[in-house]
Amino acid sequence: QVALVESGGGSVQAGGSLTLSCATTESLAGRNCMAWFRQPPGKEREGVAAISTRGISKYYGDPVKGRSSISRGSSNNTIHLQLSRLKPEDTATYFCALRLNSCVYDGLRPTSYATWGQGTQVTVSA
Protein backbone atom coordinates (compact mmCIF):
# COMPACT_ATOMS: atom_id res chain seq x y z
CA GLN A 1 0.00 0.00 0.00
CA VAL A 2 1.34 3.41 -0.93
CA ALA A 3 2.60 5.60 1.88
CA LEU A 4 3.39 9.31 2.06
CA VAL A 5 6.61 10.83 3.36
CA GLU A 6 6.65 14.51 4.30
CA SER A 7 9.62 16.78 4.78
CA GLY A 8 10.46 20.45 5.11
CA GLY A 9 8.82 21.52 8.33
CA GLY A 10 10.61 23.63 10.88
CA SER A 11 10.65 26.87 12.80
CA VAL A 12 10.54 30.26 11.15
CA GLN A 13 9.91 33.84 12.16
CA ALA A 14 6.76 35.66 11.13
CA GLY A 15 7.01 36.93 7.59
CA GLY A 16 9.31 34.10 6.58
CA SER A 17 8.83 31.25 4.11
CA LEU A 18 8.95 27.47 4.09
CA THR A 19 8.58 24.75 1.50
CA LEU A 20 7.04 21.43 2.44
CA SER A 21 7.43 18.33 0.30
CA CYS A 22 5.56 15.05 0.16
CA ALA A 23 6.58 11.96 -1.80
CA THR A 24 4.72 8.72 -2.39
CA THR A 25 6.54 5.44 -1.74
CA GLU A 26 5.16 3.97 -4.96
CA SER A 27 4.49 5.34 -8.41
CA LEU A 28 0.96 6.50 -8.92
CA ALA A 29 -1.07 5.33 -11.90
CA GLY A 30 -4.34 6.86 -12.92
CA ARG A 31 -6.27 9.79 -11.54
CA ASN A 32 -5.40 11.02 -8.09
CA CYS A 33 -5.55 14.07 -5.91
CA MET A 34 -2.84 15.05 -3.45
CA ALA A 35 -3.34 17.65 -0.80
CA TRP A 36 -1.98 19.39 2.26
CA PHE A 37 -3.94 19.81 5.45
CA ARG A 38 -2.97 21.35 8.75
CA GLN A 39 -4.04 20.92 12.32
CA PRO A 40 -3.28 23.72 14.77
CA PRO A 41 -3.01 22.77 18.45
CA GLY A 42 -6.45 22.06 19.87
CA LYS A 43 -8.22 22.66 16.58
CA GLU A 44 -9.67 20.59 13.79
CA ARG A 45 -7.80 19.60 10.68
CA GLU A 46 -8.33 22.05 7.80
CA GLY A 47 -7.57 22.02 4.11
CA VAL A 48 -4.59 24.03 2.91
CA ALA A 49 -4.23 23.13 -0.77
CA ALA A 50 -4.95 20.33 -3.23
CA ILE A 51 -3.60 19.53 -6.67
CA SER A 52 -4.92 17.37 -9.48
CA THR A 53 -3.22 14.42 -11.16
CA ARG A 54 -1.02 16.37 -13.53
CA GLY A 55 -0.94 19.57 -11.57
CA ILE A 56 -3.30 21.49 -13.83
CA SER A 57 -5.98 22.21 -11.26
CA LYS A 58 -5.16 23.64 -7.84
CA TYR A 59 -7.38 24.45 -4.90
CA TYR A 60 -6.57 26.57 -1.86
CA GLY A 61 -8.13 26.91 1.54
CA ASP A 62 -9.06 30.36 2.77
CA PRO A 63 -6.46 30.61 5.60
CA VAL A 64 -3.52 30.43 3.20
CA LYS A 65 -4.98 31.71 -0.04
CA GLY A 66 -2.60 34.20 -1.61
CA ARG A 67 0.27 33.08 0.62
CA SER A 68 0.78 29.56 -0.64
CA SER A 69 1.51 27.66 -3.81
CA ILE A 70 1.13 23.95 -4.42
CA SER A 71 2.93 22.15 -7.22
CA ARG A 72 3.78 18.70 -8.54
CA GLY A 73 7.34 17.52 -8.91
CA SER A 74 8.73 16.28 -12.22
CA SER A 75 8.02 12.66 -11.27
CA ASN A 76 4.39 13.51 -10.51
CA ASN A 77 4.69 11.44 -7.34
CA THR A 78 5.87 14.39 -5.30
CA ILE A 79 4.12 17.56 -4.31
CA HIS A 80 5.47 20.74 -2.81
CA LEU A 81 3.80 23.46 -0.78
CA GLN A 82 5.43 26.86 -0.67
CA LEU A 83 4.28 28.96 2.27
CA SER A 84 5.16 32.63 2.41
CA ARG A 85 4.45 35.63 4.66
CA LEU A 86 3.96 33.16 7.46
CA LYS A 87 2.04 34.21 10.57
CA PRO A 88 2.08 32.77 14.09
CA GLU A 89 -1.43 31.41 13.44
CA ASP A 90 0.04 29.23 10.70
CA THR A 91 1.68 27.17 13.44
CA ALA A 92 0.38 23.63 13.03
CA THR A 93 1.18 20.08 12.10
CA TYR A 94 0.96 19.87 8.33
CA PHE A 95 -0.20 16.60 6.77
CA CYS A 96 0.04 15.32 3.23
CA ALA A 97 -2.88 13.27 1.92
CA LEU A 98 -3.75 11.23 -1.15
CA ARG A 99 -6.93 9.97 -2.73
CA LEU A 100 -7.33 8.00 -5.94
CA ASN A 101 -9.88 10.17 -7.69
CA SER A 102 -10.42 13.74 -8.81
CA CYS A 103 -9.92 16.75 -6.57
CA VAL A 104 -13.11 18.35 -7.84
CA TYR A 105 -15.50 17.14 -5.15
CA ASP A 106 -14.54 17.86 -1.54
CA GLY A 107 -10.88 18.23 -2.46
CA LEU A 108 -10.18 20.10 0.77
CA ARG A 109 -12.28 17.97 3.06
CA PRO A 110 -10.13 15.73 5.29
CA THR A 111 -12.67 12.93 5.46
CA SER A 112 -12.48 12.40 1.71
CA TYR A 113 -8.86 11.18 1.92
CA ALA A 114 -7.82 7.63 2.76
CA THR A 115 -4.03 7.90 2.83
CA TRP A 116 -2.15 10.23 5.15
CA GLY A 117 1.41 11.07 5.99
CA GLN A 118 2.76 11.27 9.53
CA GLY A 119 2.79 15.06 9.55
CA THR A 120 5.50 17.68 9.77
CA GLN A 121 5.55 20.48 12.31
CA VAL A 122 5.62 24.13 11.26
CA THR A 123 6.19 26.67 14.02
CA VAL A 124 6.00 30.40 13.34
CA SER A 125 7.26 32.75 16.01
CA ALA A 126 6.24 36.37 16.33
Side-chain angles (χ1 to χ4, degrees):
Q1 184 174 353
V2 64
L4 305 175
V5 180
E6 300 127 330
S7 61
S11 297
V12 64
Q13 289 189 327
S17 302
L18 275 178
T19 298
L20 308 181
S21 298
C22 173
T24 63
T25 56
E26 299 175 10
S27 296
L28 299 176
R31 184 173 294 180
N32 65 79
C33 179
M34 294 185 72
W36 284 98
F37 293 83
R38 71 183 188 183
Q39 188 161 14
K43 297 185 178 180
E44 294 186 351
R45 197 166 295 189
E46 61 183 2
V48 175
I51 189 165
S52 63
T53 308
R54 301 199 183 281
I56 295 174
S57 299
K58 303 175 183 181
Y59 308 83
Y60 294 95
D62 288 338
V64 298
K65 197 171 291 184
R67 300 188 295 118
S68 62
S69 178
I70 190 170
S71 61
R72 287 263 185 181
S74 56
S75 69
N76 226 38
N77 298 324
T78 302
I79 62 170
H80 307 287
L81 180 70
Q82 292 179 293
L83 298 168
S84 60
R85 303 194 304 278
L86 284 161
K87 307 174 184 179
E89 50 264 45
D90 293 319
T91 294
T93 302
Y94 284 71
F95 296 91
C96 180
L98 166 70
R99 69 185 204 189
L100 301 180
N101 52 35
S102 168
C103 290
V104 173
Y105 299 105
D106 294 332
L108 291 176
R109 182 181 295 241
T111 54
S112 69
Y113 288 80
T115 303
W116 291 85
Q118 294 298 308
T120 184
Q121 179 66 34
V122 172
T123 302
V124 184
S125 58

